[in-house]
Amino acid sequence: MPFVSRADDGAIDSVFEQLQEGRAEEFLSDDDPAVVAFRNARPIVSSVSARQFRLMLRRSGLLDQVKAWVAQQDGEIQDAFEYSGTFVKDSPTMMAGFAALGFTPQQIDGFFAAAAEL
C-alpha cells in the first residue's frame, strides 16, 4: 500500500512505500487506478544518444531536412549536431530545430520516446 505525492495538477508524481512527512501523506491501495497508471506510465525521455537520434531522424524521413537546417546555422550548432554524443530534448538548439520543423511539444516527446527504444 503506497503513499503518494501529487503535482499541482493533482496527478501522482511520486510513489513511496513509507509515509513521507510533508511530501507523501496520502495512502492509496496498490490497485488504485491512479497508482496503477503511474507505475505503468512510460518514463519521460529527456535525452538520447546520437545514434538513437540520427536513426530516428532517418526512420522518420527527416534526416535530410534536419541536415539542411543545420547547414544554415552557425558553426557551433553545426559542430554540436556533428559531434555530440547525446541529444538533449530541452536544449535551446533542439527546441529551435523542432520549432523549425513545426513539431508540437507532444510530437517532440513522441520522437524522443521512440528514439530511446532504438
Side-chain angles (χ1 to χ4, degrees), residues 86-116:
T86 303
F87 285 79
V88 179
K89 179 173 65 173
D90 295 332
S91 74
T93 301
M94 191 66 62
M95 299 307 291
F98 276 114
L101 294 172
F103 272 56
T104 67
Q106 294 79 13
Q107 288 172 313
I108 297 168
D109 289 343
F111 181 94
F112 270 81

Side-chain angles (χ1 to χ4, degrees), residues 1-116:
M1 303 283 270
F3 290 89
V4 301
S5 66
R6 294 185 182 268
D8 291 338
D9 65 1
I12 293 175
D13 63 7
S14 297
V15 174
F16 302 90
E17 292 304 317
Q18 297 178 357
L19 174 70
Q20 305 293 309
E21 294 280 340
R23 176 160 185 210
E25 298 178 343
E26 181 182 355
F27 188 67
L28 298 175
S29 68
D30 285 318
D31 62 354
D32 182 282
V35 172
V36 172
F38 176 81
R39 287 185 168 156
N40 292 329
R42 294 176 83 183
I44 297 171
V45 178
S46 60
S47 65
V48 294
S49 72
R51 181 190 66 80
Q52 290 170 312
F53 188 79
R54 287 176 179 269
L55 283 174
M56 194 65 214
L57 287 176
R58 184 176 300 282
R59 290 182 182 187
S60 300
L62 297 170
L63 186 58
D64 291 337
Q65 189 176 356
V66 169
K67 283 182 175 182
W69 181 83
V70 169
Q72 297 173 358
Q73 306 308 305
D74 66 31
E76 287 188 12
I77 291 175
Q78 292 174 17
D79 288 346
F81 181 74
E82 188 67 29
Y83 301 111
S84 290
T86 303
F87 285 79
V88 179
K89 179 173 65 173
D90 295 332
S91 74
T93 301
M94 191 66 62
M95 299 307 291
F98 276 114
L101 294 172
F103 272 56
T104 67
Q106 294 79 13
Q107 288 172 313
I108 297 168
D109 289 343
F111 181 94
F112 270 81

